[in-house]
Each structure stands twice: as structure tokens, then as C-alpha cells.
Coordinates of all heavy atoms in Angstrom, one line a residue:
T28 N -11.0 0.2 -10.6 CA -10.5 0.6 -11.9 C -11.1 2.0 -12.3 O -10.8 2.4 -13.4 CB -10.9 -0.4 -12.9 OG1 -12.3 -0.7 -12.9 CG2 -10.1 -1.7 -12.7
E29 N -12.0 2.6 -11.5 CA -12.7 3.8 -12.0 C -11.9 5.1 -11.6 O -12.4 5.8 -10.7 CB -14.1 3.8 -11.4 CG -15.0 2.8 -12.0 CD -16.4 2.8 -11.4 OE1 -16.6 3.5 -10.4 OE2 -17.3 2.3 -12.0
W30 N -10.8 5.3 -12.2 CA -10.0 6.5 -12.0 C -10.3 7.4 -13.2 O -10.5 7.0 -14.3 CB -8.5 6.1 -12.0 CG -8.1 5.3 -10.8 CD1 -8.1 4.0 -10.7 CD2 -7.5 5.9 -9.6 NE1 -7.6 3.6 -9.5 CE2 -7.3 4.8 -8.8 CE3 -7.3 7.2 -9.2 CZ2 -6.7 4.9 -7.5 CZ3 -6.7 7.3 -7.9 CH2 -6.5 6.2 -7.1
F31 N -10.3 8.7 -12.9 CA -10.4 9.7 -14.0 C -9.5 10.9 -13.7 O -9.1 11.2 -12.6 CB -11.9 10.1 -14.2 CG -12.5 10.8 -13.0 CD1 -12.5 12.2 -12.9 CD2 -13.1 10.0 -12.0 CE1 -13.1 12.8 -11.8 CE2 -13.7 10.6 -10.9 CZ -13.7 12.0 -10.8
S32 N -9.2 11.6 -14.8 CA -8.3 12.8 -14.7 C -9.1 14.0 -14.2 O -10.2 14.2 -14.5 CB -7.7 13.1 -16.1 OG -6.8 14.1 -16.0
Y33 N -8.4 14.8 -13.4 CA -9.1 16.0 -12.8 C -8.0 17.1 -12.6 O -6.9 16.8 -12.3 CB -9.7 15.5 -11.4 CG -10.4 16.6 -10.7 CD1 -11.7 17.1 -11.1 CD2 -9.8 17.2 -9.6 CE1 -12.3 18.1 -10.4 CE2 -10.5 18.2 -8.8 CZ -11.7 18.6 -9.3 OH -12.4 19.6 -8.6
Q34 N -8.5 18.3 -12.7 CA -7.6 19.4 -12.5 C -8.0 20.1 -11.2 O -9.2 20.4 -11.0 CB -7.6 20.4 -13.6 CG -6.6 21.5 -13.5 CD -6.5 22.3 -14.8 OE1 -7.3 22.2 -15.7 NE2 -5.5 23.2 -14.8
T35 N -7.1 20.2 -10.2 CA -7.5 20.7 -8.9 C -8.1 22.1 -9.0 O -7.6 22.9 -9.7 CB -6.3 20.6 -7.9 OG1 -5.3 21.4 -8.4 CG2 -5.9 19.2 -7.6
Q36 N -9.1 22.4 -8.2 CA -9.8 23.7 -8.2 C -9.3 24.6 -7.1 O -9.6 25.8 -7.0 CB -11.3 23.5 -8.0 CG -11.9 22.7 -9.1 CD -11.8 23.3 -10.5 OE1 -12.1 24.5 -10.7 NE2 -11.2 22.6 -11.4
K37 N -8.5 24.0 -6.2 CA -7.9 24.8 -5.1 C -6.6 24.2 -4.6 O -6.3 23.0 -5.0 CB -8.9 24.9 -3.9 CG -9.3 23.6 -3.3 CD -10.2 23.8 -2.1 CE -10.5 22.5 -1.4 NZ -11.4 22.6 -0.3
D38 N -5.8 24.9 -3.8 CA -4.6 24.3 -3.2 C -5.0 23.3 -2.2 O -6.0 23.4 -1.5 CB -3.8 25.4 -2.5 CG -3.3 26.5 -3.4 OD1 -3.2 26.2 -4.6 OD2 -2.9 27.5 -2.9
L39 N -4.3 22.1 -2.3 CA -4.7 21.0 -1.3 C -3.5 20.8 -0.4 O -2.3 20.7 -0.8 CB -4.9 19.8 -2.1 CG -6.2 19.7 -3.0 CD1 -6.2 18.4 -3.7 CD2 -7.4 20.0 -2.2
R40 N -3.8 20.7 0.9 CA -2.8 20.3 1.9 C -3.1 18.9 2.3 O -4.2 18.6 2.8 CB -2.8 21.2 3.1 CG -1.7 21.0 4.0 CD -1.7 21.9 5.2 NE -0.3 22.1 5.6 CZ 0.3 23.2 5.5 NH1 -0.2 24.3 5.0 NH2 1.6 23.3 6.0
L41 N -2.2 17.9 2.1 CA -2.5 16.5 2.3 C -1.6 16.0 3.4 O -0.5 16.5 3.6 CB -2.3 15.7 1.0 CG -3.1 16.2 -0.2 CD1 -2.6 15.7 -1.5 CD2 -4.6 15.9 0.0
G42 N -2.0 14.9 4.0 CA -1.2 14.2 5.0 C -0.1 13.3 4.4 O 0.3 13.5 3.2
E43 N 0.2 12.3 5.1 CA 1.2 11.3 4.5 C 0.5 10.5 3.4 O -0.7 10.2 3.4 CB 1.6 10.3 5.7 CG 2.5 10.9 6.7 CD 3.9 11.2 6.2 OE1 4.4 10.4 5.4 OE2 4.4 12.3 6.5
P44 N 1.3 10.2 2.4 CA 0.8 9.4 1.3 C 0.5 7.9 1.8 O 1.1 7.4 2.6 CB 1.9 9.4 0.2 CG 3.1 9.8 1.0 CD 2.7 10.6 2.2
L45 N -0.6 7.4 1.2 CA -0.9 6.0 1.5 C 0.1 5.0 0.9 O 0.5 4.0 1.5 CB -2.3 5.6 0.9 CG -3.5 6.4 1.5 CD1 -4.7 6.0 0.7 CD2 -3.7 6.2 2.9
S46 N 0.6 5.4 -0.3 CA 1.7 4.6 -0.9 C 2.5 5.5 -1.9 O 2.0 6.5 -2.3 CB 1.1 3.4 -1.6 OG 0.4 3.8 -2.7
I47 N 3.7 5.0 -2.2 CA 4.5 5.7 -3.2 C 4.8 4.6 -4.2 O 5.3 3.5 -3.9 CB 5.8 6.2 -2.5 CG1 5.5 7.1 -1.4 CG2 6.7 6.8 -3.6 CD1 6.7 7.5 -0.5
E48 N 4.4 4.9 -5.5 CA 4.6 3.9 -6.5 C 5.0 4.5 -7.8 O 4.5 5.5 -8.2 CB 3.3 3.1 -6.7 CG 2.1 3.8 -6.2 CD 0.7 3.2 -6.5 OE1 0.2 3.4 -7.5 OE2 0.3 2.5 -5.6
R49 N 6.0 3.9 -8.4 CA 6.5 4.3 -9.7 C 6.4 5.8 -10.1 O 5.8 6.2 -11.0 CB 5.8 3.5 -10.8 CG 6.1 2.0 -10.8 CD 5.3 1.3 -11.9 NE 3.9 1.6 -11.6 CZ 2.9 1.4 -12.5 NH1 3.2 0.9 -13.7 NH2 1.7 1.6 -12.3
G50 N 7.0 6.6 -9.2 CA 7.1 8.0 -9.5 C 5.8 8.8 -9.2 O 5.6 9.9 -9.6
S51 N 4.9 8.2 -8.4 CA 3.7 8.9 -8.0 C 3.3 8.6 -6.5 O 3.7 7.6 -6.0 CB 2.5 8.6 -8.9 OG 2.1 7.2 -8.7
Y52 N 2.6 9.6 -6.0 CA 2.1 9.4 -4.6 C 0.6 9.1 -4.7 O -0.1 9.6 -5.5 CB 2.3 10.7 -3.8 CG 3.7 11.1 -3.4 CD1 4.2 12.2 -3.8 CD2 4.4 10.3 -2.5 CE1 5.5 12.6 -3.5 CE2 5.7 10.6 -2.1 CZ 6.2 11.8 -2.6 OH 7.5 12.2 -2.2
L53 N 0.1 8.3 -3.7 CA -1.3 8.0 -3.6 C -1.7 8.6 -2.2 O -1.2 8.2 -1.2 CB -1.6 6.5 -3.7 CG -3.0 6.1 -3.5 CD1 -3.9 6.6 -4.6 CD2 -3.1 4.6 -3.4
F54 N -2.7 9.5 -2.3 CA -3.2 10.2 -1.1 C -4.7 9.9 -0.9 O -5.3 9.5 -1.9 CB -3.0 11.7 -1.2 CG -1.6 12.2 -1.2 CD1 -1.0 12.6 -2.4 CD2 -1.0 12.4 0.0 CE1 0.3 13.1 -2.4 CE2 0.3 12.9 0.0 CZ 1.0 13.2 -1.2
E55 N -5.2 10.1 0.3 CA -6.6 10.1 0.6 C -7.0 11.4 1.0 O -6.3 12.0 1.9 CB -6.9 9.0 1.6 CG -8.4 8.9 1.8 CD -8.8 7.7 2.7 OE1 -8.0 6.9 2.9 OE2 -10.0 7.7 3.1
Y56 N -8.0 12.0 0.4 CA -8.5 13.3 0.8 C -10.1 13.3 0.8 O -10.7 13.1 -0.3 CB -8.0 14.4 -0.2 CG -8.5 15.8 0.0 CD1 -7.9 16.5 1.0 CD2 -9.4 16.4 -0.7 CE1 -8.2 17.8 1.3 CE2 -9.8 17.7 -0.5 CZ -9.2 18.4 0.5 OH -9.6 19.7 0.8
Q57 N -10.7 13.4 1.9 CA -12.1 13.4 2.1 C -12.7 12.2 1.4 O -13.7 12.2 0.7 CB -12.8 14.7 1.5 CG -12.4 15.9 2.2 CD -12.9 17.2 1.7 OE1 -13.6 17.2 0.6 NE2 -12.7 18.3 2.4
N58 N -12.1 11.0 1.7 CA -12.5 9.7 1.2 C -12.2 9.5 -0.3 O -12.6 8.5 -0.9 CB -13.9 9.3 1.5 CG -14.1 9.1 3.0 OD1 -13.2 8.7 3.7 ND2 -15.3 9.3 3.5
W59 N -11.7 10.5 -1.0 CA -11.3 10.3 -2.4 C -9.9 9.9 -2.4 O -9.1 10.2 -1.6 CB -11.4 11.7 -3.1 CG -12.8 12.1 -3.4 CD1 -13.8 12.4 -2.5 CD2 -13.4 12.3 -4.7 NE1 -14.9 12.8 -3.1 CE2 -14.7 12.7 -4.5 CE3 -13.0 12.1 -6.0 CZ2 -15.6 13.0 -5.5 CZ3 -13.8 12.4 -7.0 CH2 -15.1 12.8 -6.8
R60 N -9.5 9.1 -3.4 CA -8.1 8.7 -3.6 C -7.5 9.6 -4.7 O -8.2 9.8 -5.7 CB -8.0 7.2 -4.1 CG -8.5 6.2 -3.1 CD -7.7 6.3 -1.8 NE -8.3 5.5 -0.7 CZ -7.7 4.4 -0.3 NH1 -6.6 3.9 -0.7 NH2 -8.3 3.7 0.7
I61 N -6.4 10.1 -4.4 CA -5.7 11.1 -5.4 C -4.3 10.5 -5.7 O -3.5 10.3 -4.8 CB -5.6 12.5 -4.8 CG1 -7.0 13.0 -4.4 CG2 -4.8 13.4 -5.7 CD1 -6.9 14.4 -3.7
R62 N -4.1 10.3 -7.0 CA -2.7 9.9 -7.4 C -2.1 11.1 -8.2 O -2.7 11.7 -9.1 CB -2.8 8.7 -8.4 CG -1.5 8.2 -8.8 CD -1.5 6.9 -9.6 NE -2.0 5.8 -8.7 CZ -2.9 4.9 -9.1 NH1 -3.4 5.0 -10.3 NH2 -3.2 4.0 -8.3
V63 N -0.9 11.5 -7.8 CA -0.3 12.6 -8.4 C 1.2 12.3 -8.6 O 1.8 11.6 -7.8 CB -0.5 13.9 -7.5 CG1 0.1 13.7 -6.1 CG2 0.1 15.2 -8.1
R64 N 1.8 12.9 -9.6 CA 3.2 12.6 -9.9 C 4.1 13.3 -8.8 O 3.7 14.4 -8.3 CB 3.6 13.2 -11.3 CG 3.0 12.3 -12.4 CD 3.6 12.7 -13.7 NE 3.4 14.1 -14.1 CZ 2.3 14.5 -14.8 NH1 1.5 13.6 -15.3 NH2 2.2 15.8 -15.1
K65 N 5.2 12.7 -8.5 CA 6.1 13.2 -7.4 C 6.5 14.6 -7.7 O 6.7 15.4 -6.8 CB 7.3 12.3 -7.3 CG 7.0 11.0 -6.5 CD 8.3 10.2 -6.4 CE 8.0 8.9 -5.6 NZ 9.2 8.1 -5.5
N66 N 6.8 15.0 -8.9 CA 7.4 16.3 -9.2 C 6.3 17.4 -9.1 O 6.6 18.6 -9.3 CB 8.0 16.3 -10.6 CG 7.1 16.1 -11.7 OD1 5.9 15.7 -11.5 ND2 7.5 16.3 -13.0
Q67 N 5.0 17.0 -8.8 CA 4.0 18.0 -8.7 C 3.6 18.2 -7.2 O 2.6 18.9 -6.9 CB 2.8 17.7 -9.5 CG 3.1 17.7 -11.0 CD 1.9 17.3 -11.8 OE1 1.2 16.3 -11.5 NE2 1.6 18.1 -12.8
V68 N 4.3 17.6 -6.3 CA 4.0 17.7 -4.9 C 5.1 18.4 -4.2 O 6.3 18.1 -4.5 CB 3.8 16.2 -4.3 CG1 3.6 16.3 -2.8 CG2 2.7 15.5 -5.0
E69 N 4.8 19.2 -3.3 CA 5.8 19.9 -2.4 C 5.6 19.5 -1.0 O 4.5 19.3 -0.6 CB 5.6 21.4 -2.5 CG 5.8 22.1 -3.8 CD 5.6 23.6 -3.7 OE1 6.0 24.2 -2.8 OE2 4.9 24.1 -4.6

């Protein structure tokens, strides 16, 4: 339950999402979990 909002400090290139849920992607990046809205991912 310990999620917090963050603004990325650099461009991130990510692999496949761990899951796709209700309009957002869940990624893993350097052992961090990142949830981002689909319309903000290319």
C-alpha cells in the first residue's frame, strides 16, 4: 500500500509491463514498481 506520486527526472525506457489494469500500466524498473497511465506511455 506504500505508493507515492513522483515526477520522472529523466526519460525512461522500460520493458514489457508486469500488468495492464484499468487504463494504466505497471512496470518494474530497478526493483521499483512504476504505475503510469496508458496515454503517457509510448
Side-chain angles (χ1 to χ4, degrees):
T28 56
E29 290 181 344
W30 290 88
F31 62 93
S32 184
Y33 180 74
Q34 190 169 6
T35 57
Q36 301 298 308
K37 62 180 184 177
D38 293 344
L39 296 178
R40 187 179 210 113
L41 304 164
E43 288 291 318
L45 299 174
S46 68
I47 301 171
E48 19 176 273
R49 292 180 303 163
S51 68
Y52 288 119
L53 178 65
F54 292 100
E55 185 169 347
Y56 181 75
Q57 296 178 352
N58 289 334
W59 287 63
R60 298 294 171 115
I61 299 174
R62 184 175 291 137
V63 61
R64 289 191 299 268
K65 283 184 181 179
N66 64 350
Q67 295 180 312
V68 176
E69 296 178 43

